[in-house]
Amino acid sequence: MIYISPSILASNFAILGEQVAAAQAGGANMIHVDVMDGVFVPNISFGFPIIKSLSAHFSIPLDVHLMIDDPDRYVELACTSGADFLTVHIERLADPKKTLQKIRALGAHPSLTISPKTPVQSVFPYINYADMILIMTVEPGFGGQHIIPETLEKVTCLREETERRGLRGYKIEVDGGIRAENIKSAVDAGANVIVTGSAVFGEPDIPGAIKRLREAAQQ
Ligand code: DX5
Ligand code: ZN
């Protein structure tokens, strides 16, 4: 199964609810929520009140991606605000195992991510403590960038490792620069959770864009 997780970073915040409803109706499996603090990444997006509002209003799982300097300080607030999947960057964790266990204890699915310059082997010791690993396919910070093709080699390497451990269907997410033209290469590399910002919320027909992505993933 391929999960499509549209990122609201590319949405029109003046009509956020309508756009999320359109994505849900169009068959999105999750909604990707990019929290940026202007320190870990050179951009500021929005914070936990948005997660709380979306969680109270929609049943679709929220796939929250924390791009912040000190994630340990905020995992509890992210979970109590309504994150269903909570992704934290290994580059900012003192003890990844402890953070992932804390997220699970708070009732969310723990997820670990690496930026493009971080080797994929760095997540191997934590695969069993996470329900998903996110391989960033662009430098975190901005929507609408071009994919860094070499990052897909990390996806393949991670998929080989999860298969070797007998973890069938383990969630491997890709995020950044994924569009109809390259979604198949991400899926062929081994990704099964696909974040798409501008290729969904940047399009006038949101359900149509999701349908096109799904078709392109299968061709
Ligand atoms: C980048 C964010 C992504 C971004 C994806 O820092 O983590 O989730 O919103 O946007 P697109 O699909 O437009 O590259
Ligand atoms: Zn993201």
Side-chain angles (χ1 to χ4, degrees):
M1 150 147 198
I2 302 295
Y3 297 81
I4 305 267
S5 186
S7 168
I8 60 167
L9 189 65
S11 71
N12 178 349
F13 295 127
I15 50 165
L16 178 60
E18 282 170 38
Q19 298 217 317
V20 170
Q24 193 173 6
N29 305 95
M30 310 176 186
I31 294 294
H32 189 79
V33 182
D34 286 308
V35 177
M36 303 178 179
D37 68 349
V39 180
F40 177 59
V41 291
N43 195 10
I44 296 176
S45 57
F46 46 74
F48 303 103
I50 297 281
I51 300 173
K52 210 170 171 185
S53 298
L54 289 176
S55 162
H57 203 77
F58 291 100
S59 56
I60 189 164
L62 299 181
D63 167 31
V64 176
H65 177 193
L66 291 185
M67 284 163 278
I68 63 177
D69 197 45
D70 187 2
D72 283 310
R73 224 174 124 190
Y74 292 101
V75 290
E76 183 162 1
L77 185 54
C79 292
T80 57
S81 298
D84 293 287
F85 283 82
L86 185 62
T87 298
V88 284
H89 272 266
I90 196 167
E91 297 86 2
R92 285 294 178 279
L93 295 176
D95 187 345
K97 177 180 161 190
K98 199 170 152 198
T99 304
L100 296 168
Q101 285 176 324
K102 184 174 178 191
I103 294 169
R104 197 182 294 289
L106 286 161
H109 293 288
S111 165
L112 191 61
T113 184
I114 49 170
S115 291
K117 291 188 186 73
T118 305
V120 68
Q121 289 78 11
S122 64
V123 302
F124 285 4
Y126 310 107
I127 289 172
N128 294 308
Y129 298 100
D131 289 340
M132 181 164 80
I133 303 283
L134 164 57
I135 305 290
M136 286 303 297
T137 42
V138 298
E139 284 296 340
F142 298 92
Q145 302 183 73
H146 287 291
I147 188 172
I148 303 170
E150 298 74 42
T151 56
L152 293 181
E153 291 161 24
K154 295 202 271 185
V155 173
T156 302
C157 182
L158 177 59
R159 179 59 72 197
E160 281 166 7
E161 179 64 17
T162 59
E163 291 293 310
R164 200 182 59 75
R165 296 188 191 192
L167 300 169
R168 282 200 118 199
Y170 190 90
K171 288 188 176 65
I172 299 180
E173 183 172 54
V174 285
D175 181 11
I178 308 289
R179 330 189 52 82
E181 298 73 51
N182 60 18
I183 189 171
K184 177 88 166 55
S185 58
V187 169
D188 287 347
N192 55 353
V193 185
I194 312 290
V195 177
T196 51
S198 36
V200 170
F201 289 117
E203 296 290 322
D205 174 8
I206 291 169
I210 295 171
K211 189 163 171 259
R212 273 197 301 284
L213 283 161
R214 248 188 227 293
E215 284 166 1
Q218 273 149 17
Q219 273 157 17

